[in-house]
Amino acid sequence: MKAIRRFTVRTVLPEQLQPLHELALNLRWSWHPETRDLFRSVDPEVWAATGEDPVRLLGEVPAARLAALAADRRFLRRLGDLADDLREYLTGPRWYQAQQEDGATPPPAAIAYFSPEYGIAAALPQYSGGLGILAGDHLKAASDLGVPVIGVGLFYRHGYFRQSLDRVGWQQERYPLLDPDELAVSLLREADGTPSRVDLALPGGRTLAAHIWKAQVGRVPLLLLDSDIEANSPAERDVTDRLYGGGSEHRLLQEMLLGIGGVRAVRAYGRLTGHPAPEVFHTNEGHAGFLGVERIRELVADQAAGLDFAAALESVRAGTLFTTHTPVPAGIDRFDRELVARHFGGDAALPGVPVESVLALGAETWRGGDPKLFNMAAMGLRLAQRANGVSTLHGEVSRSMFNGLWPGFDPAEVPITSVTNGVHAATWIDPAVVRLGAAELGADRAEEAMTTGDTKRWTGLERIGNTEIWDLRRSLRAQLVDEARRRLRASWRQRGAGEAELGWVSSVLDPDVLTIGFARRVPSYKRLTLMLRDPDRLRALLLHPTRPVQIVVAGKAHPADDGGKRLIQQMVAFADDPAVRHRIVFLPDYDMAMARHLYPGCDVWLNNPLRPLEACGTSGMKAALNGCLNLSVLDGWWDEWYDGQNGWAIPTADEGDGVLDPESSEAERRDDIEAAALYDLIQEQVAGRFYDRGGDGLPHRWIAMVRHTLVTLGPKVLAGRMVREYVERLYTPAALAQRELAVRGHRGARELAVWKAKVREGWPGVRVEHVEADCPAEAQELGSSLALRVQVALGALQPGDVEVQVVSGRVDETDGISDAAALALKPVGGPDLDGRTRYEGSLELCRTGPFGYTVRVLPAHPRLASPAELGLVALPAESAGMDAGLLR
């Protein structure tokens, strides 16, 4: 029998225990060990049964226990101290407030951070993988640093799926319904108590409405839009039903609600709470790209501003940052152009925002682009004056991938920088590791080290003794073994096994055996089954008589990805073999709760993607924070920070630019080569070093690598370091640019829009007509210089509208310039009778070997963030008189 209505009956806490609600509704508890310990002490059995969720704990703990706690003076003192600690954390000055007082450029009053998913805690399952976990860590680090971020996302009533296995190892999905009344969220309400609501106009006179749930992530409010409300028809109620579900129109509506509805939610939150309005909008991947369209609509509708679409676009771009996370075009959301036109035209149009202008933002105008598709990443880049990838290598890959948006420029000049991801230390470091560090550094300094990423704060960890490190590693390994056995038993019961069949589970894994971890999403490029390429070699490693290896594997395939599910099934079939099942396990339902045991308990973290398809790969960072060594392909962050002493690099069989279709025959051959290299590394180096013991029974060289990893990688991999980089390199410059365009009634935005229109219209008339240099010989001497004279036709433009540059560097066999350096030439006199302007300058020959130069003309304006911003460049014609120099 099914209930016709569902609701939650909340526990009424005694007055003395009311601060428990305050602690439970701020998700800081998820990374604050003392608060978690307090909730555990309320009722350890209920705490474990509720998945360590304070809100559910308070709803299920017996009334008699609450009454006893209300009379327990020791508990009440702890509760009062922790409530005071939270209030101090929320209101006291932190790193960001110090930046506001140092007299430099004031940082933004607030930053709005948009993401389609957030991994804050297992108790708030609104994430699927790395993108969401990164977003959650970003908010937590911002909170710890005092950065005034407002998070914006969607509230998915079914979250992402829960994973189990059937008897034959095939992935099964289920979507439990989430009741917000049982979660650490509260409904944003108007002054009269009614729920605050945002509305979006849809084609056919329909409306998509959403309420706003607020999760408090430390100091950071996270606004989550929920369309499952009575005001909507059934189709619109389902828009936020689940993460990454549904067809193309469903996804488009989700992204419209996230972007357009998200901006409106931010405005409502500011109106109701007095929170400062964001000066910077940060979109985490292209899913939220429509936020820029909504902000243009706001400015056009503001009669006091008096902006047209072009000027509003410039104002919006100045204060927008776009972060790309995908290294392949297939990872970008693309919609049918007509579908987008239908949702932004007719009765669904945004006032003052022509549908043609919206379509132009997402048009694939580059060679090979599809004119019938609307590209969300292209729109994100066109709406943001600043953009970044998430590791140094990924920045390079992104500049090449999006080069078509800046034709005429080399990939190295594409205006996409990089900020390497980081992870939130307090979330991912096991408390035992923190205690070991605090014993050497002191508790306050250890907390500062984890929060800020200040390298100096980590100094001292090198003094931790070998015995202490090894005892800790053994303890964490044993903790993982217990957790793996518990989860494996539960998985086999779900698969239909009886308790009598599962006696073998109690001997699975060994706390004294080298343990390798592999856990992540299961698209083909991450190569879950690379370790299975030669099953006999893997068995030999697992069953080695003196140097055995054990492997813990976890991961989810997208519900629509049968290829990924087959990979999981292959892994499960191997792990089910009675001959090896005590040495390799697959644990279903990988989530944050499992990850908190996996990262600390593994000795080695394995990552073997098809290079360079891993944008960053933050799981290895979390492992490193716990003293786990990385064994990885040189991709993502590992390509940047591997130093030969903090782990091992798996050799790759690179071909060309290294980008191969994971299903191609070339990739098959490459997998064979790289799998063989992986087996060799584990057998000859990893296991050899782990089991190389001294007379005291300790693996001294291994421990030295663990210590080196903690000391050198610790401060680098932190989300605190990452957020500080965003503030200093991107948020603050974006806020400054936005302010400059907004002063005097947005006069700067109007002037910049007019100037860009003039330059675009006049650019066809810009030509480099003649280049000559004092170059009497083919071979020049190092340290000499060339006097250059260039004749440039500017058409309707003026010299102040452009910069003429000589670009020089090494040349290859095709005369391509690498390691290029640009030098501005100066105009000499006015235009001649033919309307040409002469530019002159001196090129210093400062390097030996094959050397060449060219000349180009670029638009120039003080408010451009990059010379390539407009994507316009004029180069010499092949017939232009240009001399080249060669150094020997």
Side-chain angles (χ1 to χ4, degrees):
M1 186 179 301
K2 296 186 68 174
I4 62 171
R5 185 180 177 195
R6 174 192 172 108
F7 53 88
T8 297
V9 180
R10 288 185 178 270
T11 298
V12 178
L13 291 176
E15 183 179 352
Q16 299 93 323
L17 301 182
Q18 285 299 318
L20 284 173
H21 271 314
E22 180 184 352
L23 294 175
L25 289 176
N26 191 308
L27 286 157
R28 186 200 182 209
W29 63 257
S30 67
W31 73 88
H32 193 247
E34 292 83 356
T35 305
R36 293 172 62 84
D37 288 342
L38 177 78
F39 282 118
R40 182 180 293 106
S41 70
V42 168
D43 192 316
E45 291 186 3
V46 176
W47 175 251
T50 57
E52 302 186 351
D53 179 347
V55 175
R56 290 181 58 200
L57 168 78
L58 297 181
E60 297 185 22
V61 67
R65 175 59 178 162
L66 292 176
L69 290 173
D72 185 334
R73 286 184 295 177
R74 180 176 298 179
F75 181 85
L76 293 177
R77 279 197 301 271
R78 289 178 64 197
L79 176 59
D81 289 345
L82 286 169
D84 290 342
D85 178 76
L86 176 61
R87 296 184 192 109
E88 182 180 352
Y89 173 87
L90 296 178
T91 59
R94 305 187 77 81
W95 172 85
Y96 194 81
Q97 286 65 48
Q99 309 309 301
Q100 293 175 312
E101 297 173 357
D102 69 358
T105 301
I111 302 102
Y113 181 92
F114 285 64
S115 178
E117 53 174 301
Y118 288 91
I120 307 295
L124 187 64
Q126 300 288 305
Y127 62 95
S128 72
L131 181 72
I133 299 298
L134 180 279
D137 283 6
H138 194 109
L139 298 195
K140 294 174 189 176
S143 174
D144 289 343
L145 294 169
V147 182
V149 167
I150 302 173
V152 183
L154 301 180
F155 182 80
Y156 306 98
R157 288 286 177 145
H158 292 91
Y160 201 53
F161 71 91
R162 304 297 302 271
Q163 178 198 47
S164 59
L165 303 173
D166 65 13
R167 275 192 171 273
V168 296
W170 189 256
Q171 174 178 292
Q172 305 293 303
E173 300 96 22
R174 55 192 175 88
Y175 291 87
L177 179 65
L178 299 175
D179 181 353
D181 288 331
E182 296 179 346
L183 301 173
V185 297
S186 58
L187 202 58
L188 186 67
R189 295 184 179 275
E190 298 292 332
D192 62 2
T194 59
S196 186
R197 176 176 140 179
V198 297
D199 292 346
L200 273 68
L202 298 181
R206 297 176 295 133
T207 298
L208 172 60
H211 287 166
I212 306 161
W213 295 98
K214 179 178 75 72
Q216 194 66 37
V217 186
R219 299 166 71 114
V220 173
L222 170 58
L223 310 179
L224 302 171
L225 284 83
D226 178 12
S227 71
D228 187 13
I229 62 175
E230 293 183 359
N232 284 327
S233 67
E236 279 72 52
R237 291 188 74 153
D238 284 345
V239 166
T240 57
D241 59 349
R242 61 184 57 174
L243 179 59
Y244 301 142
S248 184
E249 183 168 14
H250 186 86
R251 290 287 296 276
L252 176 63
L253 289 174
Q254 284 189 339
E255 298 188 4
M256 290 174 61
L257 182 59
L258 175 59
I260 300 172
V263 172
R264 296 176 184 179
V266 168
R267 304 307 186 202
Y269 182 75
R271 172 175 54 81
L272 293 169
T273 67
H275 194 288
E279 293 186 274
V280 176
F281 285 74
H282 183 177
T283 173
N284 190 36
E285 230 352 303
H287 308 283
F290 290 119
L291 71 85
V293 178
E294 168 63 9
R295 291 174 60 217
I296 291 172
R297 182 204 65 77
E298 289 181 325
L299 287 170
V300 173
D302 183 355
Q303 295 183 355
L307 301 183
D308 60 10
F309 181 92
L313 172 61
E314 295 307 325
S315 182
V316 166
R317 288 186 74 252
T320 303
L321 169 64
F322 174 76
T323 297
T324 175
H325 289 262
T326 180
V328 289
I332 297 169
D333 277 346
R334 302 159 83 203
F335 297 106
D336 183 272
R337 179 183 171 91
E338 294 305 315
L339 177 67
V340 176
R342 189 163 69 250
H343 283 81
F344 283 89
D347 56 357
L350 293 173
V353 182
V355 63
E356 296 81 9
S357 298
V358 176
L359 295 175
L361 292 171
E364 295 189 351
T365 54
W366 53 88
R367 183 180 302 174
D370 189 335
K372 297 180 181 178
L373 293 180
F374 183 93
N375 187 302
M376 293 295 290
M379 177 177 66
L381 290 165
R382 288 182 174 124
L383 282 170
Q385 194 174 48
R386 288 163 180 82
N388 70 283
V390 292
S391 69
T392 299
L393 179 60
H394 181 237
E396 296 174 8
V397 171
S398 299
R399 287 188 286 274
S400 294
M401 186 167 73
F402 294 113
N403 198 176
L405 283 167
W406 290 271
F409 290 88
D410 291 338
E413 296 181 293
V414 168
I416 299 176
T417 185
S418 63
V419 175
T420 301
N421 282 344
V423 297
H424 185 244
T427 296
W428 301 111
I429 296 183
D430 190 273
V433 181
V434 176
R435 287 193 294 271
L436 182 65
E440 189 64 49
L441 303 179
D444 291 343
R445 186 174 164 196
E447 182 179 354
E448 289 179 9
M450 291 194 302
T451 300
T452 65
D454 183 349
T455 305
K456 296 178 182 177
R457 300 290 180 186
W458 290 72
T459 302
L461 291 181
E462 66 276 4
R463 296 192 296 267
I464 299 175
N466 284 2
T467 300
E468 289 82 0
I469 289 177
W470 189 242
D471 287 347
L472 171 67
R473 293 300 315 149
R474 206 272 180 188
S475 172
L476 295 174
R477 202 181 307 117
Q479 177 179 288
L480 172 59
V481 169
D482 290 342
E483 179 70 7
R485 290 173 181 173
R486 183 186 69 80
R487 288 178 176 269
L488 191 65
R489 184 180 298 277
S491 174
W492 275 88
R493 292 300 301 271
Q494 283 185 318
R495 295 172 70 183
E499 190 63 35
E501 305 173 62
L502 298 178
W504 59 274
V505 173
S506 61
S507 61
V508 164
L509 305 180
D510 184 327
D512 293 309
V513 167
L514 170 62
T515 304
I516 298 176
F518 182 101
R520 51 193 30 88
R521 290 184 304 110
V522 190
S524 56
Y525 79 86
K526 290 183 182 285
R527 299 192 296 183
L528 168 70
T529 56
L530 185 70
M531 66 181 80
L532 302 182
R533 297 295 290 188
D534 187 339
D536 291 336
R537 283 206 69 180
L538 180 57
R539 287 190 190 94
L541 291 170
L542 297 172
L543 303 176
H544 194 283
T546 59
R547 299 187 308 185
V549 171
Q550 58 192 16
I551 306 176
V552 181
V553 184
K556 291 180 175 180
H558 188 280
D561 182 9
D562 283 350
K565 293 180 184 181
R566 281 190 291 272
L567 295 178
I568 290 175
Q569 189 177 41
Q570 293 169 25
M571 178 60 69
V572 172
F574 183 89
D576 282 353
D577 183 351
V580 297
R581 65 188 181 187
H582 64 300
R583 287 282 186 256
I584 182 169
V585 296
F586 181 89
L587 304 179
D589 209 24
Y590 178 47
D591 65 359
M592 290 183 72
M594 182 194 296
R596 292 176 74 124
H597 293 279
L598 270 179
Y599 300 130
C602 291
D603 299 294
V604 173
W605 196 257
L606 175 61
N607 188 29
N608 45 229
L610 194 62
R611 187 181 192 270
L613 302 185
E614 184 80 274
C616 186
T618 54
S619 61
M621 294 179 168
K622 298 161 195 165
L625 278 176
N626 288 282
C628 178
L629 305 180
N630 275 266
L631 170 61
S632 176
V633 166
L634 288 174
D635 201 2
W637 75 274
W638 192 236
D639 179 75
E640 195 170 333
W641 290 332
Y642 166 67
D643 67 6
Q645 301 178 60
N646 50 16
W648 295 269
I650 303 171
T652 54
D654 289 328
E655 294 188 9
D657 61 4
V659 180
L660 293 176
D661 179 351
E663 308 297 333
S664 69
S665 59
E666 293 87 352
E668 287 284 315
R669 185 183 68 83
R670 179 158 135 171
D671 284 356
D672 287 334
I673 295 171
E674 295 182 11
L678 174 61
Y679 299 137
D680 289 343
L681 269 176
I682 294 174
Q683 178 179 330
E684 297 169 11
Q685 297 188 40
V686 181
R689 183 158 297 192
F690 182 86
Y691 289 106
D692 178 18
R693 308 294 166 90
D696 54 3
L698 301 180
H700 292 278
R701 291 196 301 158
W702 184 278
I703 294 170
M705 294 180 71
V706 171
R707 184 184 291 107
H708 177 76
T709 291
L710 291 172
V711 172
T712 61
L713 281 182
K716 290 181 180 178
V717 301
L718 294 186
R721 183 271 312 156
M722 172 190 72
V723 171
R724 285 193 295 110
E725 285 194 38
Y726 274 112
V727 169
E728 294 165 353
R729 295 176 46 205
L730 294 167
Y731 291 164
T732 299
L736 177 61
Q738 196 277 333
R739 292 166 191 158
E740 290 177 344
L741 294 188
V743 295
R744 291 181 294 173
H746 296 275
R747 177 177 175 179
R750 282 191 289 271
E751 290 176 348
L752 183 58
V754 169
W755 177 82
K756 283 189 175 182
K758 178 187 76 170
V759 169
R760 289 190 178 106
E761 182 180 358
W763 201 255
V766 177
R767 297 184 304 278
V768 178
E769 296 201 338
H770 183 73
V771 180
E772 63 180 46
D774 293 337
C775 187
E778 284 296 311
Q780 302 295 310
E781 292 183 356
L782 181 67
S784 61
S785 61
L786 302 179
L788 293 171
R789 292 175 293 279
V790 182
Q791 296 285 347
V792 177
L794 296 179
L797 302 185
Q798 302 298 315
D801 296 325
V802 302
E803 179 171 284
V804 178
Q805 297 178 340
V806 55
V807 181
S808 63
R810 293 187 182 277
V811 291
D812 57 22
E813 294 81 0
T814 64
D815 289 338
I817 298 175
S818 61
D819 297 326
L823 172 70
L825 303 177
K826 295 182 178 180
V828 179
D832 62 17
L833 295 177
D834 296 321
R836 299 178 303 180
T837 300
R838 189 172 72 177
Y839 288 79
E840 294 183 354
S842 180
L843 174 61
E844 183 179 352
L845 306 179
C846 57
R847 65 177 74 183
T848 59
F851 183 89
Y853 66 86
T854 187
V855 173
R856 66 181 181 183
V857 186
L858 301 174
H861 193 282
R863 292 198 173 100
L864 296 182
S866 160
E869 184 171 315
L870 273 70
L872 299 174
V873 59
L875 297 166
E878 290 184 359
S879 58
M882 178 176 139
D883 301 321
L886 188 67
L887 284 176
R888 299 290 185 188

